[in-house]
Structure formats: structure tokens, C-alpha cells
Amino acid sequence: MLAPLHKHLLNDYQQDFPLSPTPYRDIADQLGVSEDEVLAAFKSLSEQHMISRIGPVIAPNSIGCSALVAMAVPEADLARVAEQISEYPEVNHNYERENRFNLWFVAVADDEHQLQQVIADIEIKTGYTAMLLPMLADYFINLGFELNLHD
Amino acid sequence: MSLDVIDRQIIQATQAGLPLVTEPYQAVAEQLGLTTEDVMQRMQAMQDNGVIRRIAAVPNHYKIGYRFNGMTVWDVDDQQVDMLGRRVAELSFVSHCYQRPRHLPEWPYNLFAMVHGKTEQDAEQQAAIIAELLGDSSCQHQVLYSTKILKKTGLRIAG
């Protein structure tokens, strides 16, 4: 069970974490609690990994060059291939999904050329073909993802 | 959207998260040898030009109970994909919505929308709402659930 303060912090600051010298005091003032309470609650949410981070969310491809990549890997070989791919520092998400294309990851590099090199290297190392799915358009709407925290 | 060296340093210093201290931007400024005012102004400018999408306490959907992360993929008419993509993105349960290239014949899908449900039924219901919105404009679709998170880190740019 989450305390009301924790729920507010999780739900209300997905868009507008204050850009001010004392953001936690600003939040405390908005919620009518103390700055120490806000800091302690955020620390606890971070420690429980309910918040992955507090910081800027960078628009895709505004720095560097990224692509979603899918691979179809036989079940028996999946653990090896997944581990090899996760080891690349250029890979920042790697998910197993229920599909013939069962391995999905995001690769980020400084530019297009370097991205192609990383993908080529991954294909050689793993022995499987990579399907590149770069973003062509981002239908981004500035709305928060409404969290249902009532359980 | 041109970024100079200092903008990049600020992103590198903050992308994994601001420090949990009373004056986090000041802590970043000290680390980079800048003034707090400088860091904040540059972050505001990067927000204005779209490099920084938002500053957020980013929830970990999985950990707070959204265990069913579904990548819904749709084969939508190319002429309509922009209009429909924007409408799908407006749905409150869709966290990301992108157009991506098809790879025919094995991958006919050009519209991707991420949904998050606490149960598989929730996620399926969300996919059904998207299906209804797209109607005949989508000839086929799939929902790919993640069965394992093998690696997940925030965006990292080279140092």
C-alpha cells in the first residue's frame, strides 16, 4: 500500500517536475507537507524502484541516433543471444516478447554510421539477422500516463 | 535543435537522474563548473526547443503493478498513418506511439503503440479500444507482450 503522499509524487510529477533551485520545497509547498517529507518519500520510491529516475526525458534522436531492432531467435539459443546483446553499452532496452520475433532491443549510437556498425557487429556475433525499425514519426502528445494507484 | 558541448554535458550529467538533494540543479552546476542559473536556463531552452521533452519523476510501470506491457503493432494505410497515429497517441493508456518502416513480407506493421495493463485482460481491452478507433484502416494487428525484461536503462549517450 502506498501512502497518499507517495501516490501524489508518483502520479503528479510525470510531466512537470519543477525546474527551480529548490524543486522539492516547491513540491512540498504545493502538497502542504515539508521538504524533508518530500525528499524522504522520493528516496523511498527510488529505493523501491517505483521511480526509475527523476530527471529530463530526452526526445528520441535529438542526440545520437537510435533504432528499435527485432530478432527471431530459436528458443534454445535465446539466453545466449540475449546476454550477448545486453552486454553492448549501445543497447539500452532489451525485451523478450511472445512472437516469432522474440527479441526486441533499442540501440543508440552517435550517428547513423556507428549505429549500422553496431548492428552489423551484433549480427556477426549472434549469427542472426536483425530487423531494423527506426522511428519514422513520433506521435507524441504531452499528456501524462494516468496511473491507477488504487488497489 | 543544435546542442553545444555544455548542453551535452548537462544531459550526460542528468540523464540517469538528478541527485536527490535539496538543490539538485546546483549540485549538477557544481559538478560541471557552471552556475545554477546557467544549468536551469539551458535546461529550459532545451525544453523549449524539444530536446528535453519534460522533466519528470519517471515511474517504473512494471514495479507499480503494470505487469502487462504490450507492444501493439498495426498495419495501417500509409496515407492515413499520421492522422491515426495522433489519435491513438491521445488515448490515456498509450505511453508511446510511433510510425516505423514495414519489412515485407515478414513484418507488415507500420504503427506501434505501447499499452500498459495490470492484467492481461486490461491490456487486451486497451488493444481492443485501439482496434475500434482504427476500424477498417488497420488490416491486421498483433499484441506482443514482454515475457522478460533483459535490460532496461535510460537513454545513454557516449561520454
Side-chain angles (χ1 to χ4, degrees):
Chain A
M1 270 308 282
L2 284 167
L5 174 61
H6 291 64
K7 286 185 183 179
H8 272 296
L9 296 180
L10 265 175
N11 200 54
D12 301 352
Y13 297 94
Q14 298 180 65
Q15 297 295 319
D16 295 310
F17 182 83
L19 181 57
S20 92
T22 53
Y24 299 104
R25 194 188 306 160
D26 295 1
I27 291 172
D29 291 346
Q30 285 164 14
L31 299 178
V33 294
S34 74
E35 186 180 25
D36 284 347
E37 282 175 280
V38 170
L39 266 168
F42 269 129
K43 274 183 185 149
S44 140
L45 289 169
S46 288
E47 278 159 14
Q48 296 174 73
H49 304 290
M50 291 195 176
I51 283 178
S52 42
R53 68 180 190 283
I54 297 172
V57 176
I58 311 299
N61 292 328
S62 58
I63 40 169
C65 180
S66 68
L68 179 66
V69 185
M71 286 177 129
V73 181
E75 199 59 42
D77 218 3
L78 190 58
R80 168 189 72 91
V81 172
E83 197 175 327
Q84 282 180 330
I85 288 171
S86 291
E87 276 170 13
Y88 282 81
E90 293 89 353
V91 169
N92 64 18
H93 284 71
N94 190 11
Y95 284 76
E96 184 183 327
R97 294 191 181 276
E98 290 172 326
N99 194 263
R100 190 171 81 76
F101 289 98
N102 51 356
L103 203 55
W104 293 78
F105 57 93
V106 176
V108 184
D110 285 342
D111 54 44
E112 174 75 31
H113 176 70
Q114 206 179 68
L115 182 68
Q116 295 292 346
Q117 276 186 331
V118 170
I119 301 303
D121 195 64
I122 286 176
E123 287 183 319
I124 291 167
K125 195 172 273 180
T126 61
Y128 295 98
T129 310
M131 177 168 76
L132 243 73
L133 299 162
M135 186 186 81
L136 299 180
D138 181 1
Y139 305 113
F140 158 69
I141 310 282
N142 199 359
L143 294 175
F145 179 91
E146 183 72 28
L147 298 175
N148 173 7
L149 300 169
H150 311 284
D151 265 337
Chain B
M1 293 207 306
S2 69
L3 295 176
D4 68 14
V5 176
I6 295 172
D7 290 334
R8 283 177 170 267
Q9 284 176 344
I10 292 172
I11 290 175
Q12 278 166 13
T14 57
Q15 63 186 347
L18 295 163
L20 267 162
V21 295
T22 52
E23 298 180 49
Y25 302 106
Q26 190 196 349
V28 171
E30 278 171 12
Q31 188 194 327
L32 299 176
L34 302 168
T35 66
T36 311
E37 203 41 43
D38 239 358
V39 168
M40 286 176 30
Q41 270 172 11
R42 282 171 175 273
M43 288 184 77
Q44 184 59 56
M46 286 191 275
Q47 260 192 296
D48 295 342
N49 70 19
V51 168
I52 292 179
R53 185 156 276 184
R54 59 183 188 274
I55 301 173
V58 181
N60 178 349
H61 290 129
Y62 187 84
K63 199 73 187 177
I64 57 180
Y66 290 85
R67 299 290 157 105
F68 291 84
N69 141 347
M71 184 172 73
T72 71
V73 296
W74 310 81
D75 175 4
V76 173
D77 177 48
D78 286 320
Q79 301 300 315
Q80 292 184 289
V81 67
D82 283 337
M83 182 267 288
L84 292 168
R86 281 191 285 267
R87 291 188 57 194
V88 170
E90 280 173 20
L91 297 169
S92 64
F93 50 80
V94 170
S95 63
H96 301 80
C97 185
Y98 299 128
Q99 183 193 354
R100 299 187 185 278
R102 297 184 172 88
H103 285 255
L104 297 171
E106 72 270 24
W107 191 258
Y109 308 104
N110 60 340
L111 184 66
F112 286 58
M114 295 300 312
V115 302
H116 305 267
K118 291 193 173 182
T119 63
E120 188 165 355
Q121 205 182 2
D122 283 352
E124 269 166 20
Q125 206 174 356
Q126 293 167 350
I129 293 169
I130 299 175
E132 200 179 309
L133 188 156
L134 294 176
D136 293 340
S137 306
S138 168
C139 353
Q140 50 183 332
H141 78 273
Q142 286 193 37
V143 183
L144 283 74
Y145 292 104
S146 68
T147 40
K148 223 184 246 174
I149 300 173
L150 303 158
K151 183 177 186 180
K152 190 174 193 299
T153 55
L155 173 74
R156 294 285 188 280
I157 55 170

